[in-house]
Amino acid sequence: MPLLLGVNIDHIATLRQARYANAPTSPNAEPCTVLAGQDALAGGADSLTIHVRGDRRHMQDADAYRIRAEMKVPLNLEMGVTEEMVGLALKLKPEFVCLVPENRMEITTEGGLNVLASFDKTRMVIARLQDAGIRVSVFIDPDLKQVEAAGEACADMIELHTGAFSNAAGDQVQVELDRLTVAAKEGHFSLQVNAGHGINYTNIAQILTIPHLAELNIGHSIIARATRIGLTAAVREMKDRMAAYTAGA
Ligand code: PXP
């Protein structure tokens, strides 16, 4: 199986909100998340990822419904484990949901979801989403206890948090890569293994040494590159790098 790419287009909405937070659906509001999604698809994105946060700092509910209605693309909704977001997911019916922790003051998702500490609630939310035909992933740190808890909570997939790896320097880089490798090896017996956070055009080479990966979710670096060469070309560049992956699921 080729390694799939989910392109996170939240930052398209971040840019729009910087000017149009009071009127995100006005005809003047740009850039358009649907057009960005189309550009990402043209570059080879396998799915689109959007995170509708509790504070609605970037993606709005209207973005989610428009993308769903106007695009034929597998949609991955990142969401906090809250009743409000379960309600949104059940109406939107994305193909996938990725459960993430949410903290109002964070710049971006900081740590993985503590599935162990929130086991009953997480297990119940997973079941409700799966009953609606949605495949569920949990975004976790590469920690074997969390991998095990994700399996016991009956998640379909885990997304391994690559943030500590991408922020590491010196000898710590290999330490973090080893943690990701061990977690992927353990996870793949019963779960689809994805990875994301902080992956860029340089560190992707090391990410490709992790075995059993099915999908990467990448946002910031692709959108940053898109400001120089356009989103379609930026996605294509990342897909070209990912084509070297041979350690697949
Ligand atoms: N995966 C998850 C669960 C995330 O929360 C994010 C950030 O929104 C990403 C992947 C993408 O991270 P980045 O923007 O650093 O590529």
Side-chain angles (χ1 to χ4, degrees), residues 146-179:
Q146 296 295 341
V147 174
E148 197 182 322
E152 283 172 4
C154 297
D156 299 289
M157 304 171 271
I158 49 176
E159 181 173 325
L160 295 175
H161 191 332
T162 50
F165 154 76
S166 65
N167 289 330
D171 292 347
Q172 196 57 28
V173 175
Q174 193 56 48
V175 170
E176 295 298 339
L177 259 184
D178 290 346
R179 287 181 70 207

Side-chain angles (χ1 to χ4, degrees), residues 8 10 51 78 98 100 108-109 139 159 196-199 217-220:
N8 180 316
D10 289 346
H51 185 175
E78 282 179 15
C98 181
V100 300
T108 180
T109 315
F139 183 56
E159 181 173 325
H197 214 282
I199 300 174
N217 272 304
I218 309 179
H220 186 92

Side-chain angles (χ1 to χ4, degrees), residues 48-138:
L48 293 180
T49 296
I50 59 172
H51 185 175
V52 180
R53 297 184 68 106
D55 62 12
R56 303 300 194 277
R57 71 172 67 157
H58 37 55
M59 285 290 170
Q60 307 298 301
D61 301 37
D63 290 302
Y65 289 120
R66 258 198 83 193
I67 289 168
R68 197 67 185 136
E70 295 180 27
M71 298 190 65
K72 284 195 171 43
V73 58
L75 182 63
N76 175 28
L77 175 69
E78 282 179 15
M79 56 174 251
V81 189
T82 66
E83 201 47 46
E84 181 195 18
M85 288 304 152
V86 171
L88 174 65
L90 293 179
K91 272 206 256 168
L92 186 68
K93 290 213 166 53
E95 277 73 15
F96 320 111
V97 150
C98 181
L99 299 178
V100 300
E102 246 181 52
N103 163 3
R104 268 184 184 259
M105 299 307 285
E106 68 193 354
I107 291 176
T108 180
T109 315
E110 278 165 358
L113 185 70
N114 190 338
V115 184
L116 266 183
S118 62
F119 188 83
D120 291 342
K121 187 174 170 195
T122 303
R123 167 85 192 89
M124 199 182 4
V125 165
I126 290 172
R128 286 172 68 195
L129 295 167
Q130 287 172 334
D131 282 348
I134 300 167
R135 295 187 75 217
V136 184
S137 173
V138 285

Side-chain angles (χ1 to χ4, degrees), residues 189-205:
F189 290 117
S190 56
L191 296 151
Q192 177 176 319
V193 181
N194 304 331
H197 214 282
I199 300 174
N200 61 37
Y201 292 86
T202 306
N203 68 21
I204 182 74

